[in-house]
Amino acid sequence: MWKVAHVTPLHKKGPKELCNNYRPISLLSCVGKLLERCVHKRVYNYLQYNNIITQSQSGFIPGDSTVNQLLCIYNDLCTSFDRGITTQAVYLDISKAFDRVWHKGLLSKLEAVGIRGNLLNWFCDYLSSRMQATVIKGDKSDLKEVPAGVPQGSVLGPLLFLIYINDIVNNIRSVIKLFADDTSLSLALNNPDLRAEILNYDLEKISTWAKKWKVKFNQEKTELLNFTRGIQPNQQLVFDSTLLNNTTHHKHLGVVLQNNCRWDEHIRSISNKTNMLISCLRSYKYKISRMALETMYKSFIMPHFDYADIIWDNCTETQSNMLENLHLEAIRIIIGGVRGTSHQKLYEESGFCTLKERRRRHKLLMFKKMQLGLCPQYIIDLLPPLVSARNPYHRRRPLEREVPSCKTELLRKSFILSTTTDWNSLPVSVQQTTSLSVFKRLLCSSDNNVPAYYYIGDRIAQINHCRLRLQMSNLNNDLFTRHLRIDPKCPCGHPQETAEHYLLHCTRYHTIRATTIFTLPTDQIDIRTLLHGDPNLQNRENEHIFLSVHDFINQSKRL
């Protein structure tokens, strides 16, 4: 029973009538996974203790991630660019990697790394006689045997795949990086003939390895990028008897790398994705609560802005502003603001900070992780040396780090150099914190916390109340300030129809005011409290004030 998988097809892209456009998701027995977890713990600890898993592998390694590997790759590219050295990189992709693992080959590799006896017999039984059936809307197909591959959706599957692909790095002369089945080769060298010779040698090695272990690489997804400031290399690179064509950009681990180390394509990709999602968010602007809209934004849109942002933070000011405008548009939708509102007011009202500031904080958090040893060693090795290590008399700022010298703006704005500068500007007390959570709290200490009572009440009243706070409502004085009306006069004759006049003094709403706002305790009736609440009052009391204002707004029908 533990060997039977129920496969659910999940649509990826393209026409839904084509089976190739679906990703199979395997559901296995939960009880079986508990046993797998016990075996996984022992095997993984054994592999780690004996340093069997190659240091080039970042996939499914606790504490490692795609961002770590991309950070290392891009830092090497920027450093080579700064020194005027050409880098050639080949990005390989294994076709249906997890589904085509050869069982006999995997068992032989398990034995080679030291797994023998009863445990090897257990793995032999674990891989054999596995069955699967497709389940769609409660209907189940006939069971079919799975003759190859590691079990999808299992606990042990990823670890078994790492063991299977582990020796692909053997005798490789260029820099090889692995993230599960995503493989990249790169070599920074100004001798074009020697560089091509080494890369062709490594590609031939990988091709031979693939044939021996029945692994098929996807030729369509194999791409070559030449990172250079000079003339593009014309030496030919061949993989599996196929000539590699040079391309200008390639999406690797979710980030679009360009041959000039710029971010035009990646920022365009983020912009297209988030623009579409923000349009969906906009359709719910008047239908669901502010809290729900904020949760949707943080869950489905913000991750696109945040992913690997410590790497591409050296994008141009124009590109940064393009993303910032999308962020501001989402904030306007969430709080119910209108165009023309001061950006500073939008950030204060919403409690969000700018994307640029978010990236700065993410970079400093990563830098702190490196300092505390919470990253893989290849990332910690990127840390610049302490100034005090070179100058023993430098004791005023003991954690200050040397800023490496550079020639190009590209390297100067990249992660290591820019973050070192930001790190050195932090107060010593912040630098010396030993807790990552405390460090993060100190970085965010200047943020404006949105009171809970801003989220209560009817959505339309919420929006109108917010616009009164922002001085962007439909009151005549607000329209006059925005050059949408020729005078700020109130219909009652008062020279200015301000929020204070509307809520507290306008004679047209005296009766409504008597049953809503004037029912509040007299010491709470001032315009500041009606619009922003009173931090000295309890949350329940502020909610009562806000709901009274909402009742007044709804009954007056002025906004």
Side-chain angles (χ1 to χ4, degrees), residues 390-457:
R390 177 174 52 84
N391 181 4
Y393 299 102
H394 185 85
R395 296 175 183 173
R396 186 171 295 177
R397 298 181 64 87
L399 293 179
E400 184 177 352
R401 301 215 170 239
E402 291 186 16
V403 180
S405 60
C406 65
K407 300 175 185 177
T408 59
E409 192 77 357
L410 183 74
L411 183 60
R412 188 181 69 80
K413 290 186 175 181
S414 66
F415 172 78
I416 294 297
L417 274 73
S418 63
T419 314
T420 303
T421 303
D422 289 340
W423 170 265
N424 290 341
S425 65
L426 292 176
V428 176
S429 58
V430 177
Q431 291 180 346
Q432 291 179 332
T433 54
T434 56
S435 168
L436 196 64
S437 58
V438 172
F439 182 76
K440 183 177 181 179
R441 188 167 67 248
L442 291 172
L443 289 181
C444 303
S445 59
S446 61
D447 284 357
N448 183 44
N449 293 320
V450 181
Y453 44 86
Y454 276 29
Y455 296 97
I456 66 160

Side-chain angles (χ1 to χ4, degrees), residues 267-370:
I267 300 299
R268 190 177 296 116
S269 174
I270 296 175
S271 178
N272 291 338
K273 288 178 186 176
T274 52
N275 201 14
M276 179 181 65
L277 293 169
I278 288 172
S279 296
C280 295
L281 194 71
R282 188 181 295 110
S283 65
Y284 293 102
K285 181 176 181 178
Y286 299 103
K287 298 177 182 177
I288 60 178
S289 68
R290 172 172 170 169
M291 179 64 78
L293 287 168
E294 189 174 307
T295 303
M296 289 170 66
Y297 179 58
K298 289 179 178 178
S299 302
F300 301 113
I301 303 176
M302 188 71 81
H304 291 288
F305 290 131
D306 288 347
Y307 178 69
D309 59 354
I310 65 173
I311 301 165
W312 52 262
D313 184 45
N314 62 340
C315 61
T316 64
E317 197 68 26
T318 302
Q319 292 166 346
S320 178
N321 290 337
M322 183 195 304
L323 299 182
E324 203 66 54
N325 288 335
L326 290 169
H327 181 50
L328 286 165
E329 177 61 21
I331 290 174
R332 280 192 288 266
I333 292 169
I334 291 167
I335 67 175
V338 297
R339 288 187 176 274
T341 309
S342 159
H343 293 176
Q344 184 62 34
K345 286 184 178 180
L346 288 175
Y347 290 127
E348 289 175 358
E349 170 71 22
S350 65
F352 286 100
C353 64
T354 65
L355 291 180
K356 188 173 183 178
E357 175 61 17
R358 280 181 69 85
R359 294 196 293 271
R360 187 186 79 89
R361 293 176 185 179
H362 292 161
K363 286 160 67 177
L364 286 169
L365 277 169
M366 184 65 178
F367 205 82
K368 186 65 176 178
K369 285 182 182 178
M370 294 163 69

Side-chain angles (χ1 to χ4, degrees), residues 456-458 465 516 542-552:
I456 66 160
D458 170 67
H465 199 178
T516 55
N542 278 310
E543 286 184 0
H544 180 49
I545 293 170
F546 268 49
L547 289 174
S548 298
V549 174
H550 290 182
D551 286 343
F552 175 83

Side-chain angles (χ1 to χ4, degrees), residues 94-111 120 123-124 126-128 130 146-151 157 160-165 167 208-216:
I94 300 175
S95 179
K96 297 183 179 179
F98 288 79
D99 298 330
R100 293 182 175 175
V101 171
W102 179 33
H103 285 175
K104 267 192 173 181
L106 175 57
L107 290 170
S108 71
K109 290 192 175 189
L110 286 170
E111 187 174 11
L120 184 62
F123 273 114
C124 183
Y126 173 79
L127 293 170
S128 64
R130 300 195 74 93
V146 183
V150 294
L160 292 175
F161 182 79
L162 294 190
I163 295 171
Y164 192 71
I165 202 175
D167 60 346
T208 304
W209 178 91
K211 290 172 183 174
K212 178 180 179 181
W213 297 106
K214 303 184 187 301
V215 173
K216 181 176 175 58

